[in-house]
Amino acid sequence: MKKLLSAGLVFLLMLGGANAWADADTYSFDPVHTQIFFCTVHLGFSKPCGRLHVSAGNFSFDSKDWSTARVDAVIDINSLDLGDAEWESRVKSGEFLDAQRYPTARFMSQRVEKTSDKTGAQTGVAHGQLILHGKTLKMDLPFTFNKAGVHPYTFKRIAGFSATLKFKRSDFGIDRYLQVVSDEVELRIEAEGFRDRHAGESTPPEAAPDSENPEQNPTTVKEHHDADTQH
């Protein structure tokens, strides 16, 4: 009888461990299905768009408790894709993004809240900070939780999100040719992650600060509210 009880206890402990893993909510970004699109206005004629990739980072999400969610994403500036090599080289130069000096950007959430949506969509806001071009500004990132489930081919647990954001590039010191390329930048983010028990164990590299200008050090965080309330 004692052996039977002991075996049952071991089984329950194993089952509990399995359930704990089933409820785990830490994900690594899928680099193929995670992309950042940005658009600016060109002389009022058109609104061309480019693309960037997330090179590192992870997120945690529990659909039952959004307050525990977090995200840390590193964006590779040198992954810039504008469809034209000459224009890409110029945008990555010191005239705009200065990718040699600032090869990455980074968004880190500090608090996530769930918001209501009349359409029934599951929406929220990630309150955090964006490090770009050596400056750190507070940023609110509105997002939609699309779906979480098991991938039919890899059998991995997947979670997916969409997000949109507007901000002024001049706030980050990218203020050349404002009369040609609009100050306002629109972002569209599509993100997928696969559940990874090792996600978050290593810290992604910091976005490079401007060591010659203390005002551009990422440790100095300045206010920047959701663009929906500013523009």
Side-chain angles (χ1 to χ4, degrees), residues 13 39 57 60-61 79 82 84 101 110 125 133 137 144 168 173 178-179 181-182 193 202 226 229:
L13 288 172
C39 302
S60 291
F61 184 75
S79 70
L82 295 171
D84 182 86
R101 193 174 191 179
Q110 298 170 320
V125 178
H133 200 249
L137 300 179
T144 298
K168 290 184 177 180
L178 292 175
Q179 72 278 14
V181 180
S182 65
S202 60
D226 184 2
T229 63

PDB file of all heavy atoms in Angstrom, residues 13 39 57 60-61 79 82 84 101 110 125 133 137 144 168 173 178-179 181-182 193 202 226 229:
ATOM      1  N   LEU A  13       3.592  14.325  -8.974  1.00  0.00           N
ATOM      2  CA  LEU A  13       4.638  15.325  -9.070  1.00  0.00           C
ATOM      3  C   LEU A  13       5.106  15.497 -10.512  1.00  0.00           C
ATOM      4  O   LEU A  13       5.326  16.609 -10.992  1.00  0.00           O
ATOM      5  CB  LEU A  13       5.824  14.938  -8.175  1.00  0.00           C
ATOM      6  CG  LEU A  13       5.588  15.072  -6.670  1.00  0.00           C
ATOM      7  CD1 LEU A  13       6.767  14.481  -5.906  1.00  0.00           C
ATOM      8  CD2 LEU A  13       5.381  16.527  -6.275  1.00  0.00           C
ATOM      9  N   CYS A  39       7.049  53.194 -42.436  1.00  0.00           N
ATOM     10  CA  CYS A  39       6.676  54.014 -43.591  1.00  0.00           C
ATOM     11  C   CYS A  39       6.856  55.491 -43.251  1.00  0.00           C
ATOM     12  O   CYS A  39       6.581  55.921 -42.123  1.00  0.00           O
ATOM     13  CB  CYS A  39       5.226  53.769 -43.989  1.00  0.00           C
ATOM     14  SG  CYS A  39       4.836  52.041 -44.398  1.00  0.00           S
ATOM     15  N   GLY A  57      16.083  38.567 -28.618  1.00  0.00           N
ATOM     16  CA  GLY A  57      15.075  38.947 -27.644  1.00  0.00           C
ATOM     17  C   GLY A  57      14.067  37.851 -27.376  1.00  0.00           C
ATOM     18  O   GLY A  57      14.144  36.757 -27.938  1.00  0.00           O
ATOM     19  N   SER A  60       7.296  37.161 -22.739  1.00  0.00           N
ATOM     20  CA  SER A  60       6.481  36.287 -21.901  1.00  0.00           C
ATOM     21  C   SER A  60       5.040  36.751 -21.998  1.00  0.00           C
ATOM     22  O   SER A  60       4.771  37.959 -22.049  1.00  0.00           O
ATOM     23  CB  SER A  60       6.946  36.323 -20.439  1.00  0.00           C
ATOM     24  OG  SER A  60       8.213  35.718 -20.304  1.00  0.00           O
ATOM     25  N   PHE A  61       4.139  35.793 -22.024  1.00  0.00           N
ATOM     26  CA  PHE A  61       2.727  36.160 -22.140  1.00  0.00           C
ATOM     27  C   PHE A  61       1.849  35.058 -21.570  1.00  0.00           C
ATOM     28  O   PHE A  61       2.036  33.879 -21.861  1.00  0.00           O
ATOM     29  CB  PHE A  61       2.356  36.395 -23.613  1.00  0.00           C
ATOM     30  CG  PHE A  61       0.942  36.858 -23.806  1.00  0.00           C
ATOM     31  CD1 PHE A  61       0.582  38.152 -23.498  1.00  0.00           C
ATOM     32  CD2 PHE A  61      -0.027  35.988 -24.279  1.00  0.00           C
ATOM     33  CE1 PHE A  61      -0.721  38.593 -23.669  1.00  0.00           C
ATOM     34  CE2 PHE A  61      -1.330  36.413 -24.454  1.00  0.00           C
ATOM     35  CZ  PHE A  61      -1.686  37.723 -24.143  1.00  0.00           C
ATOM     36  N   SER A  79      19.835  45.286 -41.073  1.00  0.00           N
ATOM     37  CA  SER A  79      18.940  44.423 -41.857  1.00  0.00           C
ATOM     38  C   SER A  79      17.998  45.241 -42.728  1.00  0.00           C
ATOM     39  O   SER A  79      17.142  44.686 -43.417  1.00  0.00           O
ATOM     40  CB  SER A  79      18.127  43.519 -40.927  1.00  0.00           C
ATOM     41  OG  SER A  79      17.170  44.274 -40.184  1.00  0.00           O
ATOM     42  N   LEU A  82      15.036  48.339 -48.256  1.00  0.00           N
ATOM     43  CA  LEU A  82      14.225  49.363 -48.908  1.00  0.00           C
ATOM     44  C   LEU A  82      13.996  49.052 -50.384  1.00  0.00           C
ATOM     45  O   LEU A  82      13.377  49.839 -51.095  1.00  0.00           O
ATOM     46  CB  LEU A  82      14.890  50.738 -48.764  1.00  0.00           C
ATOM     47  CG  LEU A  82      15.003  51.288 -47.343  1.00  0.00           C
ATOM     48  CD1 LEU A  82      15.881  52.533 -47.329  1.00  0.00           C
ATOM     49  CD2 LEU A  82      13.626  51.605 -46.771  1.00  0.00           C
ATOM     50  N   ASP A  84      16.312  48.999 -52.649  1.00  0.00           N
ATOM     51  CA  ASP A  84      17.300  49.670 -53.482  1.00  0.00           C
ATOM     52  C   ASP A  84      18.592  49.810 -52.681  1.00  0.00           C
ATOM     53  O   ASP A  84      18.613  50.470 -51.630  1.00  0.00           O
ATOM     54  CB  ASP A  84      16.800  51.047 -53.911  1.00  0.00           C
ATOM     55  CG  ASP A  84      17.772  51.770 -54.826  1.00  0.00           C
ATOM     56  OD1 ASP A  84      17.716  51.547 -56.056  1.00  0.00           O
ATOM     57  OD2 ASP A  84      18.603  52.539 -54.303  1.00  0.00           O
ATOM     58  N   ARG A 101      27.489  53.347 -36.153  1.00  0.00           N
ATOM     59  CA  ARG A 101      27.619  53.784 -34.761  1.00  0.00           C
ATOM     60  C   ARG A 101      26.533  53.183 -33.875  1.00  0.00           C
ATOM     61  O   ARG A 101      26.766  52.883 -32.706  1.00  0.00           O
ATOM     62  CB  ARG A 101      27.536  55.310 -34.715  1.00  0.00           C
ATOM     63  CG  ARG A 101      27.954  55.907 -33.398  1.00  0.00           C
ATOM     64  CD  ARG A 101      27.984  57.414 -33.521  1.00  0.00           C
ATOM     65  NE  ARG A 101      28.628  58.039 -32.377  1.00  0.00           N
ATOM     66  CZ  ARG A 101      28.805  59.355 -32.243  1.00  0.00           C
ATOM     67  NH1 ARG A 101      28.392  60.157 -33.210  1.00  0.00           N
ATOM     68  NH2 ARG A 101      29.395  59.850 -31.177  1.00  0.00           N
ATOM     69  N   GLN A 110       8.069  47.788 -19.677  1.00  0.00           N
ATOM     70  CA  GLN A 110       8.130  47.923 -18.229  1.00  0.00           C
ATOM     71  C   GLN A 110       6.808  47.529 -17.572  1.00  0.00           C
ATOM     72  O   GLN A 110       6.763  47.149 -16.422  1.00  0.00           O
ATOM     73  CB  GLN A 110       8.495  49.369 -17.867  1.00  0.00           C
ATOM     74  CG  GLN A 110       9.865  49.773 -18.384  1.00  0.00           C
ATOM     75  CD  GLN A 110      10.128  51.259 -18.248  1.00  0.00           C
ATOM     76  OE1 GLN A 110       9.238  52.083 -18.488  1.00  0.00           O
ATOM     77  NE2 GLN A 110      11.343  51.626 -17.875  1.00  0.00           N
ATOM     78  N   VAL A 125      -1.572  47.357 -24.344  1.00  0.00           N
ATOM     79  CA  VAL A 125      -0.523  48.356 -24.531  1.00  0.00           C
ATOM     80  C   VAL A 125       0.693  47.923 -23.718  1.00  0.00           C
ATOM     81  O   VAL A 125       0.580  47.605 -22.530  1.00  0.00           O
ATOM     82  CB  VAL A 125      -0.969  49.757 -24.073  1.00  0.00           C
ATOM     83  CG1 VAL A 125       0.175  50.760 -24.248  1.00  0.00           C
ATOM     84  CG2 VAL A 125      -2.188  50.220 -24.855  1.00  0.00           C
ATOM     85  N   HIS A 133      19.123  55.172 -32.137  1.00  0.00           N
ATOM     86  CA  HIS A 133      20.060  56.224 -32.501  1.00  0.00           C
ATOM     87  C   HIS A 133      20.715  56.824 -31.262  1.00  0.00           C
ATOM     88  O   HIS A 133      21.021  58.018 -31.199  1.00  0.00           O
ATOM     89  CB  HIS A 133      19.317  57.300 -33.310  1.00  0.00           C
ATOM     90  CG  HIS A 133      20.219  58.162 -34.131  1.00  0.00           C
ATOM     91  ND1 HIS A 133      20.429  59.493 -33.850  1.00  0.00           N
ATOM     92  CD2 HIS A 133      20.964  57.900 -35.239  1.00  0.00           C
ATOM     93  CE1 HIS A 133      21.258  60.018 -34.734  1.00  0.00           C
ATOM     94  NE2 HIS A 133      21.597  59.061 -35.600  1.00  0.00           N
ATOM     95  N   LEU A 137      13.740  56.804 -25.176  1.00  0.00           N
ATOM     96  CA  LEU A 137      12.494  57.523 -24.901  1.00  0.00           C
ATOM     97  C   LEU A 137      11.438  56.549 -24.420  1.00  0.00           C
ATOM     98  O   LEU A 137      11.377  55.399 -24.881  1.00  0.00           O
ATOM     99  CB  LEU A 137      11.980  58.227 -26.158  1.00  0.00           C
ATOM    100  CG  LEU A 137      12.885  59.277 -26.798  1.00  0.00           C
ATOM    101  CD1 LEU A 137      12.217  59.839 -28.044  1.00  0.00           C
ATOM    102  CD2 LEU A 137      13.207  60.388 -25.824  1.00  0.00           C
ATOM    103  N   THR A 144      -2.147  43.864 -30.591  1.00  0.00           N
ATOM    104  CA  THR A 144      -3.260  42.925 -30.602  1.00  0.00           C
ATOM    105  C   THR A 144      -2.714  41.515 -30.449  1.00  0.00           C
ATOM    106  O   THR A 144      -1.779  41.126 -31.157  1.00  0.00           O
ATOM    107  CB  THR A 144      -4.053  43.016 -31.920  1.00  0.00           C
ATOM    108  OG1 THR A 144      -4.604  44.333 -32.055  1.00  0.00           O
ATOM    109  CG2 THR A 144      -5.191  42.001 -31.949  1.00  0.00           C
ATOM    110  N   LYS A 168       7.998  60.481 -33.848  1.00  0.00           N
ATOM    111  CA  LYS A 168       8.774  61.441 -34.610  1.00  0.00           C
ATOM    112  C   LYS A 168      10.248  61.067 -34.567  1.00  0.00           C
ATOM    113  O   LYS A 168      10.824  60.924 -33.490  1.00  0.00           O
ATOM    114  CB  LYS A 168       8.577  62.853 -34.042  1.00  0.00           C
ATOM    115  CG  LYS A 168       7.197  63.428 -34.276  1.00  0.00           C
ATOM    116  CD  LYS A 168       7.111  64.860 -33.780  1.00  0.00           C
ATOM    117  CE  LYS A 168       5.756  65.484 -34.083  1.00  0.00           C
ATOM    118  NZ  LYS A 168       5.683  66.884 -33.593  1.00  0.00           N
ATOM    119  N   GLY A 173      16.872  62.402 -32.579  1.00  0.00           N
ATOM    120  CA  GLY A 173      18.033  63.054 -33.168  1.00  0.00           C
ATOM    121  C   GLY A 173      18.240  62.735 -34.635  1.00  0.00           C
ATOM    122  O   GLY A 173      19.266  63.097 -35.209  1.00  0.00           O
ATOM    123  N   LEU A 178      14.096  66.875 -43.132  1.00  0.00           N
ATOM    124  CA  LEU A 178      12.704  66.767 -42.689  1.00  0.00           C
ATOM    125  C   LEU A 178      11.729  67.321 -43.722  1.00  0.00           C
ATOM    126  O   LEU A 178      10.553  66.959 -43.733  1.00  0.00           O
ATOM    127  CB  LEU A 178      12.515  67.488 -41.352  1.00  0.00           C
ATOM    128  CG  LEU A 178      13.215  66.855 -40.143  1.00  0.00           C
ATOM    129  CD1 LEU A 178      13.039  67.736 -38.912  1.00  0.00           C
ATOM    130  CD2 LEU A 178      12.658  65.463 -39.869  1.00  0.00           C
ATOM    131  N   GLN A 179      12.216  68.208 -44.605  1.00  0.00           N
ATOM    132  CA  GLN A 179      11.362  68.753 -45.643  1.00  0.00           C
ATOM    133  C   GLN A 179      11.170  67.778 -46.804  1.00  0.00           C
ATOM    134  O   GLN A 179      10.296  67.974 -47.661  1.00  0.00           O
ATOM    135  CB  GLN A 179      11.938  70.077 -46.177  1.00  0.00           C
ATOM    136  CG  GLN A 179      13.193  69.937 -47.030  1.00  0.00           C
ATOM    137  CD  GLN A 179      14.468  69.798 -46.210  1.00  0.00           C
ATOM    138  OE1 GLN A 179      14.431  69.555 -45.008  1.00  0.00           O
ATOM    139  NE2 GLN A 179      15.598  69.980 -46.883  1.00  0.00           N
ATOM    140  N   VAL A 181      11.780  63.906 -46.277  1.00  0.00           N
ATOM    141  CA  VAL A 181      11.271  62.671 -45.663  1.00  0.00           C
ATOM    142  C   VAL A 181      10.571  63.054 -44.368  1.00  0.00           C
ATOM    143  O   VAL A 181      11.167  63.711 -43.504  1.00  0.00           O
ATOM    144  CB  VAL A 181      12.411  61.676 -45.374  1.00  0.00           C
ATOM    145  CG1 VAL A 181      11.856  60.409 -44.744  1.00  0.00           C
ATOM    146  CG2 VAL A 181      13.162  61.345 -46.659  1.00  0.00           C
ATOM    147  N   SER A 182       9.336  62.668 -44.212  1.00  0.00           N
ATOM    148  CA  SER A 182       8.522  63.127 -43.083  1.00  0.00           C
ATOM    149  C   SER A 182       9.149  62.827 -41.733  1.00  0.00           C
ATOM    150  O   SER A 182       9.864  61.840 -41.558  1.00  0.00           O
ATOM    151  CB  SER A 182       7.137  62.496 -43.143  1.00  0.00           C
ATOM    152  OG  SER A 182       7.217  61.082 -42.971  1.00  0.00           O
ATOM    153  N   GLY A 193       6.400  34.032 -31.748  1.00  0.00           N
ATOM    154  CA  GLY A 193       7.416  33.427 -30.905  1.00  0.00           C
ATOM    155  C   GLY A 193       7.076  31.981 -30.634  1.00  0.00           C
ATOM    156  O   GLY A 193       5.911  31.587 -30.646  1.00  0.00           O
ATOM    157  N   SER A 202      19.842  34.537 -21.413  1.00  0.00           N
ATOM    158  CA  SER A 202      20.919  35.447 -21.787  1.00  0.00           C
ATOM    159  C   SER A 202      20.314  36.788 -22.157  1.00  0.00           C
ATOM    160  O   SER A 202      19.276  36.863 -22.813  1.00  0.00           O
ATOM    161  CB  SER A 202      21.716  34.895 -22.973  1.00  0.00           C
ATOM    162  OG  SER A 202      20.883  34.714 -24.096  1.00  0.00           O
ATOM    163  N   ASP A 226       2.218  57.750 -26.230  1.00  0.00           N
ATOM    164  CA  ASP A 226       1.627  57.087 -27.381  1.00  0.00           C
ATOM    165  C   ASP A 226       1.300  58.122 -28.452  1.00  0.00           C
ATOM    166  O   ASP A 226       0.665  59.129 -28.197  1.00  0.00           O
ATOM    167  CB  ASP A 226       0.350  56.364 -26.942  1.00  0.00           C
ATOM    168  CG  ASP A 226      -0.271  55.559 -28.069  1.00  0.00           C
ATOM    169  OD1 ASP A 226       0.287  55.521 -29.172  1.00  0.00           O
ATOM    170  OD2 ASP A 226      -1.320  54.970 -27.799  1.00  0.00           O
ATOM    171  N   THR A 229      -2.065  59.872 -29.040  1.00  0.00           N
ATOM    172  CA  THR A 229      -2.489  61.005 -28.234  1.00  0.00           C
ATOM    173  C   THR A 229      -1.732  62.265 -28.600  1.00  0.00           C
ATOM    174  O   THR A 229      -2.112  63.351 -28.186  1.00  0.00           O
ATOM    175  CB  THR A 229      -2.272  60.714 -26.745  1.00  0.00           C
ATOM    176  OG1 THR A 229      -0.869  60.533 -26.501  1.00  0.00           O
ATOM    177  CG2 THR A 229      -3.007  59.453 -26.322  1.00  0.00           C
TER     178      THR A 229
END
